[in-house]
């Protein structure tokens, strides 16, 4: 069965972007990039991977799921940033036609449950915090690219919701000289 994997960069104080969606402070160069590319080459935008000569054929994911604000980060230059994957944007907005991209206003939980029943690689939850909160119970793995920054304010990893503590199982942590750590947790089922 396919898993939903929330793979995301996050500041030390728990933000995936600044208050206006800024993410420019996150480190995109450094020794952590090799570690990420070894396990997650398919999380690099299609055009960037082609430019860098990154082979994305052996990646873990076959679908990327994101909210409208996450998708809008690359607009208008990249209406279809991950063409090598099935891209699904959960939104009520109209999106421009783009290769291998579909917009839907379906219930995200039902959508993910249906995707999990289909054949294919895992489903990458790319962002954002609102969508992650709606899908919290469906997330099988949480992979945090913890960055050595404090934002002080911004878009949280999960939007505030109901208080419902749940312990995840630590799978692995790798720390790099850049100060970035890559930590994976799995949901206990």
């Amino acid at each position: 069965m396919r898993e939903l994997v929330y793979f995301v960069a996050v500041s030390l104080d728990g933000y995936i972007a600044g208050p206006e969606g800024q993410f420019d402070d996150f480190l995109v160069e450094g020794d952590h990039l090799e570690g990420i590319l070894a396990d997650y080459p398919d999380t690099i935008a299609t055009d960037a991977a082609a430019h860098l000569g990154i082979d994305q054929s052996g990646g873990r994911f076959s679908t990327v799921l994101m909210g409208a604000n996450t998708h809008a980060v690359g607009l208008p230059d990249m209406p279809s940033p991950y063409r090598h994957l099935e891209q699904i944007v959960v939104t009520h907005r109209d999106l421009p036609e783009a290769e291998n991209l579909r917009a839907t206003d379906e219930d995200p939980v039902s959508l993910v449950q249906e995707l999990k029943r289909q054949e294919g690689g895992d489903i990458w939850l790319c962002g954002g915090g609102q969508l992650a909160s709606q899908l919290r119970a469906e997330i099988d793995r949480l992979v945090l690219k913890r960055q050595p920054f404090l934002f002080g304010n911004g878009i949280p990893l999960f939007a505030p919701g109901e208080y419902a503590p749940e312990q995840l199982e630590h799978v692995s942590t790798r720390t790099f000289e850049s100060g970035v750590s890559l930590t994976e947790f799995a949901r206990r089922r």
Side-chain angles (χ1 to χ4, degrees):
M1 184 165 160
R2 301 170 79 185
E3 291 188 324
L4 180 63
V5 180
Y6 190 16
F7 177 84
V8 65
V10 62
S11 67
L12 292 173
D13 50 355
Y15 297 105
I16 60 173
E20 303 300 319
Q22 316 90 303
F23 60 93
D24 298 0
D25 290 313
F26 286 137
L27 299 173
V28 295
E29 294 180 351
D31 62 331
H32 65 280
L33 189 57
E34 284 184 38
I36 291 168
L37 291 177
D39 295 331
Y40 302 98
D42 40 356
T43 63
I44 305 298
T46 306
D47 291 342
H51 177 74
L52 296 170
I54 297 169
D55 177 16
Q56 296 182 298
S57 63
R60 172 183 192 154
F61 303 111
S62 60
T63 302
V64 60
L65 183 66
M66 64 190 105
N69 291 334
T70 299
H71 176 258
V73 167
L75 293 176
D77 298 328
M78 286 193 302
S80 184
Y82 303 104
R83 292 184 310 281
H84 59 286
L85 301 173
E86 172 190 26
Q87 302 167 96
I88 302 172
V89 180
V90 179
T91 183
H92 296 290
R93 303 176 194 167
D94 289 328
L95 297 180
E97 291 289 322
E99 181 183 350
N100 206 21
L101 176 82
R102 82 171 158 111
T104 183
D105 61 359
E106 293 176 63
D107 169 59
V109 173
S110 298
L111 172 65
V112 166
Q113 289 171 345
E114 175 59 32
L115 288 170
K116 285 182 173 185
R117 288 190 290 270
Q118 297 173 3
E119 294 292 320
D122 286 338
I123 305 150
W124 169 29
L125 175 56
C126 181
Q130 290 285 346
L131 184 57
S133 284
Q134 293 174 50
L135 292 170
R136 180 179 155 169
E138 294 299 321
I139 295 171
D140 299 292
R141 293 191 183 270
L142 180 62
V143 181
L144 302 177
K145 297 178 286 181
R146 187 153 311 263
Q147 297 267 335
F149 294 99
L150 296 172
F151 280 10
N153 190 4
I155 299 170
L157 180 63
F158 290 91
E162 178 182 315
Y163 179 72
E166 181 178 4
Q167 184 174 355
L168 301 180
E169 181 179 321
H170 177 257
V171 175
S172 65
T173 297
R174 292 186 340 205
T175 303
F176 301 91
E177 291 296 319
S178 63
V180 173
S181 64
L182 188 63
T183 303
E184 181 175 347
F185 297 94
R187 180 178 300 284
R188 295 176 176 172
R189 297 279 187 200

